[in-house]
Amino acid sequence: MNLLIKLLGTAVSLGAGFAGTKLVNTIWEKTTGQKAPTGKNEDVPTSLRSALTFALISASVSAIIQVLANRGTQRAITRFAKTQDIV
């Protein structure tokens, strides 16, 4: 069951990462009025300043999501271990 919780934590982390990426891209487009500089839109000129700003924001959101997912997984493992001891 411990493996199942770790796999569930991985799935939650991947889902949260996908949602976080979509959220950052959407907020970027709404605030700047331009598509996010992801490197996929090579026909859209991007300044170095906007590319670095986007990279910093994306990395920050990604790190926060990773920490929260890891903490949630650890809490679930701890909670599951406690209930196994009781039973």
Side-chain angles (χ1 to χ4, degrees):
M1 193 64 148
N2 200 5
L3 179 64
L4 180 65
I5 292 175
K6 287 184 180 181
L7 289 175
L8 184 63
T10 301
V12 167
S13 179
L14 288 172
F18 181 74
T21 301
K22 290 295 183 185
L23 179 70
V24 169
N25 289 346
T26 303
I27 290 174
W28 181 268
E29 287 179 21
K30 296 235 186 233
T31 56
T32 64
Q34 300 174 355
K35 291 215 171 243
T38 58
K40 296 176 185 173
N41 305 329
E42 295 186 21
D43 57 334
V44 178
T46 303
S47 68
L48 181 61
R49 175 182 282 171
S50 66
L52 288 175
T53 303
F54 181 77
L56 288 172
I57 292 169
S58 294
S60 299
V61 170
S62 182
I64 290 168
I65 288 171
Q66 184 179 11
V67 167
L68 292 176
N70 286 340
R71 286 183 182 178
T73 303
Q74 290 302 320
R75 272 194 223 128
I77 290 171
T78 304
R79 187 176 303 137
F80 180 72
K82 286 182 182 177
T83 57
Q84 287 286 21
D85 291 340
I86 293 173
V87 174

